[in-house]
Amino acid sequence: MALPSQSTSLPAKPHRFRREPSEGWLAVMLLAPAALLLCGILLFPMITTLRDSLFVNKLTEPGLGTPFVGFQQYVQMFGDPRFGQALRNTLFFGVLTVVGSFLVGIPMALAAHTPSRLRGLARVALLLPWAMPPVITGLIFAWLFNGQYGVFNDLLVRTGIIQEPLRWLSTPGLAVAAMVVTIVWKTSSFVALIVLGGLQGIPRELTEAADVDGATRVQSFFRIILPMLAPSLAVAFIFRSISAVQVFDIPYTFIQQAPAQGLLETLGVYIYRTSIEFLDFGYAATLSVALFAVSLAVTAVYVRFVRGGD
Amino acid sequence: MEDAPPRLSPLERAGRWLGLAALIVGGFFPFIWMVLTSIKTEGELQKFPVQYLPSALNFANYAQVFTEQPFARFFFNSLTVSLLSTVLAIVVAAPAAYALSRLNIRGRGVLLTVVVAFSMFPVVSLLVPLFRLMRGASLLNSYPALILPYAALSLPVAILTLVAFFSSIPRDLESAAMVDGSTRFGALTRVVLPLSAPGVVTAALLVFVNSWNEFLLALSFNTRLSMRTVSVGVTLYQGEFAFPWPLIAAAVVIATVPIVVLIAVFQKRFVAGLTAGGVKA
């Protein structure tokens, strides 16, 4: 304040630079490679998918050519019971696994947040499910749920909860439960990480003050910590919802081992099979647009949240 | 009892230890179980009640992983693809993140929202058009067929992480250097870049993990055995009706070791980076 110099006011008056052309060009040059990569590899193929959904394109029937059929494949999709089932499965798994990942993830974050000599180890335990390749998670849990020698069966029999080993993957209801457990194990980490970030942002003084005022830990958790975590929880919720809708790898590995296929087939798996196994590119594009629409609906909620939060 | 706030009642203390123990056991158990499975023999595996520990250390499964499939080649492919995807993503994301956090761009908020929106593309929806793109460019069964999409798919999270990180470096440091006669580029390379190294490391780790773990595109684009990656490679040991679990377990352990080492070494950075990128996005 004592210095009369104006040259240091650069950060305070950023708009001064807006009219300098060099700044604009610099921005364009810095942003161009990212824009190019995103548009070329993500946006352009997505637009191609929109177009493809209006054309029949079956590699198994090359004689058909690729005629324009307008929205005919959309009509076909809404009458397709397999699509209906896949959509219901996706939403069903989505709701169960998102809720499950919060019920497991929040206590995980609280455990990892408490100061302890084991904190480093706790952090690795927290990160491991998140960082593990999803296909490998699927394989590992398929083995844990093995109908004959699986460790889950062993533990349940030893504790007397069940008498005989259960054939988890070949019993429809149990296969669904096994897949939900697997996805919840894999995704709770993500919720825990975001919540942990939120917890680290809460000043200690707040809970200490509540402590001094005689609040119990449970009271200060629900009255102070949880409300302050609201933004983190909202972010985690949206990202989890989107990844839940798009889930592919874990159902794919489970289906390889489980005859209860119809119940495990998500929209992602159905799209994969339509394109790679049935080679029906046109209809796969239509299904992709449907999945994209579902993702977009969730994204719209997110954008609203970000805009509202600013 | 209430005079010193950090003191905990025995019940709370027990609860805290129980929570920590549950977290550590729950996080590690599936991986540890694969390690145990991988050193058992087929005979030891087919016992119920389960025999928890193997009777002898048996590494034959690990040797077989490499002889039954070209797993060393898979490993090399994954390493190459993941490292090059990481380099490409960072080289592209860093300037963009710098621009978004430092330059006065009109519509900055809109641009950031667009970046977030890009992170929400369902990969499976891009499968067929990307397949055609790669086939058209004669890139199927090549490293770029995976590197380009991996870099693009990780770009949003890399940009968001770096924007969050750059924004936390005080602008005054840069302007001070510029007032002292440094050019903007000079301020960037000598002041901002060294300070942002931890953020770049975090973003790089995120891209590497994403690329190492990717399955769908690797499964579909690089179908030649010599071009397979590790995540697809681990699924190749199962026969049509048989699941040689000790062998699969050994392959799974080998494929997961790089990830385990990375998160053990960089656990602090991962937690800091993920939370910063996620929450501030």
Side-chain angles (χ1 to χ4, degrees):
Chain A
M1 236 171 75
L3 292 170
S5 153
Q6 297 128 334
S7 58
T8 51
S9 62
L10 187 139
K13 286 187 185 173
H15 56 272
R16 244 193 350 163
F17 275 79
R18 187 175 291 169
R19 278 176 197 84
E20 255 181 61
S22 62
E23 181 114 354
W25 275 112
L26 187 61
V28 169
M29 272 157 55
L30 293 175
L31 290 170
L36 212 66
L37 193 58
L38 287 175
C39 293
I41 303 293
L42 303 183
L43 191 62
F44 172 70
M46 201 64 230
I47 292 168
T48 319
T49 299
L50 281 174
R51 196 206 59 202
D52 286 354
S53 72
L54 306 175
F55 292 82
V56 165
N57 185 0
K58 285 186 194 173
L59 284 198
T60 47
E61 292 172 61
L64 280 178
T66 52
F68 176 78
V69 292
F71 291 97
Q72 195 185 301
Q73 292 182 118
Y74 287 89
V75 176
Q76 179 195 341
M77 179 175 78
F78 285 111
D80 175 4
R82 197 167 166 181
F83 167 73
Q85 165 103 58
L87 183 64
R88 275 195 303 277
N89 290 346
T90 304
L91 297 177
F92 176 71
F93 285 126
V95 171
L96 281 186
T97 59
V98 170
V99 171
S101 63
F102 275 80
L103 292 180
V104 179
I106 294 173
M108 273 169 80
L110 290 171
H113 185 59
T114 51
S116 132
R117 259 168 302 162
L118 294 176
R119 197 186 235 175
L121 198 64
R123 277 217 202 93
V124 178
L126 184 103
L127 284 162
L128 195 55
W130 166 80
M132 190 93 88
V135 183
I136 285 183
T137 308
L139 279 173
I140 295 179
F141 275 77
W143 172 235
L144 293 172
F145 279 114
N146 185 282
Q148 286 161 292
Y149 317 113
V151 69
F152 286 154
N153 272 336
D154 184 73
L155 292 173
L156 290 172
V157 169
R158 275 178 206 258
T159 51
I161 294 171
I162 56 172
Q163 300 304 314
E164 286 292 305
L166 295 173
R167 308 192 72 86
W168 289 94
L169 299 187
S170 42
T171 316
L174 294 178
V176 168
M179 197 162 96
V180 169
V181 168
T182 308
I183 298 174
V184 167
W185 182 83
K186 168 83 187 148
T187 55
S188 298
S189 277
F190 175 77
V191 175
L193 277 163
I194 303 292
V195 171
L196 191 58
L199 283 172
Q200 285 168 352
I202 299 177
R204 256 190 99 92
E205 295 80 51
L206 273 179
T207 45
E208 274 167 13
D211 228 34
V212 171
D213 290 347
T216 65
R217 302 243 160 203
V218 177
Q219 276 175 332
S220 66
F221 175 75
F222 281 103
R223 300 262 174 84
I224 299 170
I225 296 178
L226 214 52
M228 289 199 74
L229 283 179
S232 314
L233 291 173
V235 168
F237 178 75
I238 301 299
F239 275 99
R240 267 298 295 126
S241 305
I242 290 159
S243 71
V245 166
Q246 300 177 358
V247 65
F248 171 79
D249 299 22
I250 290 175
Y252 179 83
T253 31
F254 263 69
I255 282 178
Q256 308 275 308
Q257 330 225 356
Q261 299 213 348
L263 279 172
L264 299 184
E265 189 170 75
T266 61
L267 214 44
V269 174
Y270 187 32
I271 293 171
Y272 173 78
R273 293 184 149 180
T274 306
S275 39
I276 298 297
E277 285 171 24
F278 313 146
L279 297 171
D280 190 345
F281 288 0
Y283 190 48
T286 311
L287 293 171
S288 297
V289 172
L291 176 60
F292 189 59
V294 178
S295 304
L296 208 63
V298 184
T299 310
V301 178
Y302 176 77
V303 169
R304 219 192 162 92
F305 167 77
V306 170
R307 282 298 167 88
D310 270 348
Chain B
M1 206 169 91
E2 290 298 322
D3 48 2
R7 282 255 180 274
L8 293 174
S9 72
L11 196 71
E12 282 171 327
R13 190 183 287 271
R16 167 183 292 191
W17 278 104
L18 214 64
L20 259 180
L23 171 63
I24 291 169
V25 172
F28 280 107
F29 180 73
F31 179 69
I32 304 276
W33 192 242
M34 270 338 224
V35 174
L36 287 174
T37 301
S38 71
I39 51 178
K40 287 180 189 170
T41 60
E42 192 81 48
E44 285 172 319
L45 225 56
Q46 291 172 359
K47 280 186 185 161
F48 200 85
V50 167
Q51 179 186 342
Y52 276 74
L53 295 173
S55 351
L57 288 179
N58 158 35
F59 293 104
N61 298 313
Y62 284 89
Q64 207 185 332
V65 163
F66 291 97
T67 51
E68 192 146 308
Q69 298 282 351
F71 204 77
R73 175 77 197 183
F74 300 162
F75 203 89
F76 174 79
N77 291 341
S78 274
L79 213 56
T80 310
V81 166
S82 305
L83 283 175
L84 292 178
S85 307
T86 306
V87 171
L88 177 61
I90 297 301
V91 164
V92 171
Y98 177 79
L100 286 170
S101 68
R102 279 299 199 263
L103 303 182
N104 302 295
I105 299 167
R106 248 170 299 172
R108 182 178 164 275
V110 175
L111 278 178
L112 279 172
T113 309
V114 169
V115 172
V116 172
F118 268 112
S119 70
M120 287 158 192
F121 275 76
V123 183
V124 71
S125 300
L126 303 170
L127 183 62
V128 172
L130 265 183
F131 180 85
R132 291 219 197 114
L133 201 71
M134 295 303 167
R135 193 180 50 192
S138 304
L139 288 177
L140 292 177
N141 283 307
S142 79
Y143 291 142
L146 300 181
I147 292 169
L148 288 170
Y150 290 178
L153 287 166
S154 288
L155 207 52
V157 72
I159 291 176
L160 294 174
T161 306
L162 288 171
V163 165
F165 200 86
F166 287 158
S167 304
S168 71
I169 299 173
R171 273 171 187 245
D172 301 356
L173 287 175
E174 248 171 299
S175 20
M178 278 158 73
V179 167
D180 287 347
S182 173
T183 59
R184 182 183 273 284
F185 186 74
L188 182 64
T189 51
R190 262 167 293 168
V191 181
V192 182
L193 224 52
L195 282 173
S196 48
V200 171
V201 169
T202 304
L205 288 167
L206 293 178
V207 182
F208 187 90
V209 169
N210 281 348
S211 310
W212 185 270
N213 292 354
E214 206 282 333
F215 174 69
L216 177 62
L217 300 182
L219 177 71
S220 316
F221 292 177
N222 285 6
T223 48
R224 194 179 296 153
L225 192 63
S226 63
M227 291 308 290
R228 288 295 193 192
T229 59
V230 153
S231 64
V232 177
V234 293
T235 66
L236 298 179
Y237 294 91
Q238 54 203 49
E240 204 172 335
F241 302 106
F243 287 90
W245 281 109
L247 194 58
I248 294 172
V252 159
V253 172
I254 300 167
T256 320
V257 160
I259 297 292
V260 174
V261 171
L262 271 186
I263 62 169
V265 174
F266 292 103
Q267 35 108 355
K268 254 188 196 167
R269 284 247 59 80
F270 268 120
V271 172
L274 279 169
T275 52
V279 179
K280 286 177 194 161

